[in-house]
Each structure stands twice: as structure tokens, then as C-alpha cells.
Amino acid sequence: MSVLIVCPGKDPENWEKALKNQHPGMNVYVYPEDHDKEEVEFALTWNHPRGLFKNYPNLKVIASMGAGVDHILSDDALPEGIQITKVVDDTLTEDMGDFVLSQVMNHIRGLHHYVKAQKEKKWEKFQYKRPQDTKVGIMGLGVLGNEVADKLHKNFFQVYGWSRTEKSCDHVTSFHGKDQLEEFLNNSEILVCLLPLTEETENILNADLFDMLPEGAYVINVARGEHLVEHDLMEMIDNGHLSGASLDVFREEPLPEEHPFWDHEKINITPHIASLTKPESVAGQIAENYDRMKDEEPLKNKVEQEKGY
């Protein structure tokens, strides 16, 4: 019985070390080194090659290295009956809250204006808004969405939330379903996307949705690049309906050098760093699920594949 680590473009060494520290008896292979495919029953992965896992006849569990699982579920050739898990980690959750708060504060205080003004050696002052006077809408009220909402509330923002199904979140004016989406958007001066990526949410950040936001609204996407229709965002910024955007996720990563986002003065780019998984922080829950699999016990943080999260 073995574990396979598959993470093209990432350094697997820290993951292997963290797993073995948690579970000294664990036999770990790192793709694409030579190994016996029949031994592998548990895989830990991020962005595996499509179709890879159909070659493992005894594979039972695929564990995501992060909170997202769309990189797994998008593979049409997954083995039947496979169980999929995601990471739920306090550090990841807290880091996401801190990042979104920093982006929201950056926007209402106009700090990006001063970066540009410094480069141009201009002494200019810009009007700012206070948190008490700012409405922030969060799309997605899962673990991360709740953390962001709580952090914004504690910093005196007016917080609104929207989810596919009805959810209750402390200190949040909540909306749910398609029928309540427009009312939610009408109250979102700053819109934060924290939705899971599913067939229903792909391309949800489009011109029709942006049109329901108040004029001058600002968009923050920390979910997945596939949520955003890129051309629609630039068009709505350029025509003045949106004041700008902060993007941490993209359809293609790294973002190509020729992409127009790089040169757009009203789009702030960060390289998918809002919340980074630390192997030593999450190895314990992965090792526990490995033991649960061996003992045929229910897994923690199991994904409902029909929902996509």
C-alpha cells in the first residue's frame, strides 16, 4: 500500500517530507519516478496530467493539496467509485481573510493610485471611503467565505453574502439562489468571488452580472480564473461601469506576458498567492485520511462530487 504524490510544476520534496514526518511507515512515491502502479491506493495531487489515474487499478482516494478540487474533477477519466478529499485548514482560511481584507482596504483607501502617482512623481491626493460606509458582497459562503465575512464585519464593513442554497452566516445579510442574485449584486459596491468552480459557476463573472452591480463597483476574484469572462471585465472597466479589479487567479497560470491584464492600470494582479497551502500544516489531516482509508472508515473533508465541492 503506497501514496503517490503528483504535482507538476511544484516541488514535491516538502510534501514527501511532511507526510513521512506525520506517518513514518508510509511508503511514498513521487510521480513520475518509477513505481508499481498496483501498490498505489492513495494519491495526493495538484494539477495532475489528465487521464493519469485510470492507470492505477487499486486507487481508492485522490486528495487535493489545497481547498480547490476542480483540477481533479475536470478530469473526465477518473476511476469509478474514487473518493476525493480537499484541504480544510485554519491557516489557509485565516490567510484568505487577511488577503481579501487587504485588497478591500487597498481599494477604499485608493492606495493603488499612489503607486502610480509615485512612479510619475506626482503629489496627488485622492478621496477615500470608510469601512462603515462600504458595502461588500461575498459570492460563496463556505468556510473561506465565512472567514472573509467575519473579518470584514470585525473591521466595520457592511457585509452581504450570496450562495447557491440558503445559508446563515453571522453578521451577514444573506441571499441565495438565482431569484435573489440581482438584489445581492445591487448591494455590492465591492464584489468578492469565493465560489467553487462548477458547471453552474463557470463564466459567472460576466457582463450581465457586472451590469447588476452599482456603478463604480470593484471586483475581487480569489476563487478560480474560469469564473471570469476576461473580455467582459475589461469592457466594463473601460466604459466606466466598474472602477477596477483585483485578480489573484487566472484561466492560464502563470499569466502570459502578452496578456492585456498586465498593462491595464485599473487591474491589480497577484500570482495566486491569496492563500498558500503549507505542507507541514496540512500533512496531519492527509495522513489521518490515509489511515481512515486503510481502516475503511469515513474520510474527513470528503468532496460531494455531484455538487463539485
Side-chain angles (χ1 to χ4, degrees), residues 139 181-182 185-186 188-193 203-221 225 227-247 261 267:
M139 296 186 77
L181 179 59
E182 183 171 3
L185 292 168
N186 290 166
S188 299
E189 297 169 327
I190 299 175
L191 179 68
V192 181
C193 182
N203 298 320
I204 194 171
L205 300 178
N206 57 38
D208 291 338
L209 181 143
F210 295 146
D211 197 50
M212 290 185 274
L213 293 170
E215 188 165 345
Y218 191 77
V219 174
I220 298 173
N221 188 16
H227 284 122
L228 176 65
V229 180
E230 297 178 346
H231 175 268
D232 287 2
L233 176 70
M234 290 190 292
E235 189 174 80
M236 295 297 270
I237 293 175
D238 292 341
N239 69 21
H241 183 70
L242 297 178
S243 59
S246 173
L247 306 177
F261 281 171
I267 295 178

Side-chain angles (χ1 to χ4, degrees), residues 159-290:
V159 185
Y160 296 78
W162 181 86
S163 52
R164 185 179 63 87
T165 57
E166 187 172 5
K167 292 185 179 179
S168 177
C169 183
D170 292 342
H171 313 300
V172 174
T173 303
S174 298
F175 300 86
H176 69 277
K178 293 181 180 179
D179 293 342
Q180 296 182 12
L181 179 59
E182 183 171 3
E183 185 179 359
F184 160 76
L185 292 168
N186 290 166
N187 283 284
S188 299
E189 297 169 327
I190 299 175
L191 179 68
V192 181
C193 182
L194 273 165
L195 291 167
L197 181 63
T198 66
E199 290 183 2
E200 291 183 352
T201 65
E202 186 174 0
N203 298 320
I204 194 171
L205 300 178
N206 57 38
D208 291 338
L209 181 143
F210 295 146
D211 197 50
M212 290 185 274
L213 293 170
E215 188 165 345
Y218 191 77
V219 174
I220 298 173
N221 188 16
V222 285
R224 287 292 180 266
E226 290 84 357
H227 284 122
L228 176 65
V229 180
E230 297 178 346
H231 175 268
D232 287 2
L233 176 70
M234 290 190 292
E235 189 174 80
M236 295 297 270
I237 293 175
D238 292 341
N239 69 21
H241 183 70
L242 297 178
S243 59
S246 173
L247 306 177
D248 186 58
V249 290
F250 306 89
R251 289 179 178 269
E252 184 178 352
E253 298 180 4
L255 189 65
E257 291 184 8
E258 66 275 10
H259 198 288
F261 281 171
W262 285 113
D263 297 317
H264 202 296
E265 66 179 11
K266 294 184 178 180
I267 295 178
N268 296 321
I269 292 172
T270 49
H272 206 149
I273 48 76
S275 184
L276 298 175
T277 306
K278 298 175 177 60
E280 61 276 12
S281 178
V282 302
Q285 63 182 268
I286 294 168
E288 181 180 352
N289 266 343
Y290 172 77

Side-chain angles (χ1 to χ4, degrees), residues 28-100:
V28 180
Y29 293 123
V30 176
Y31 178 85
E33 70 181 20
D34 289 337
H35 58 276
D36 185 347
K37 293 181 173 62
E38 293 189 0
E39 282 186 28
V40 175
E41 295 189 25
F42 191 105
L44 175 63
T45 188
W46 190 264
N47 283 333
H48 68 278
R50 306 298 87 175
L52 174 70
F53 293 129
K54 67 181 180 182
N55 300 314
Y56 291 82
N58 298 314
L59 186 64
K60 297 177 181 177
V61 178
I62 301 175
S64 173
M65 287 180 168
V69 293
D70 50 280
H71 60 100
I72 298 173
L73 295 177
S74 59
D75 186 349
D76 294 332
L78 292 177
E80 290 188 14
I82 200 76
Q83 297 187 86
I84 298 172
T85 66
K86 61 185 178 181
V87 164
V88 177
D89 180 58
D90 288 345
T91 301
L92 275 177
T93 304
E94 292 169 6
D95 289 353
M96 179 61 77
D98 290 343
F99 181 83
V100 172

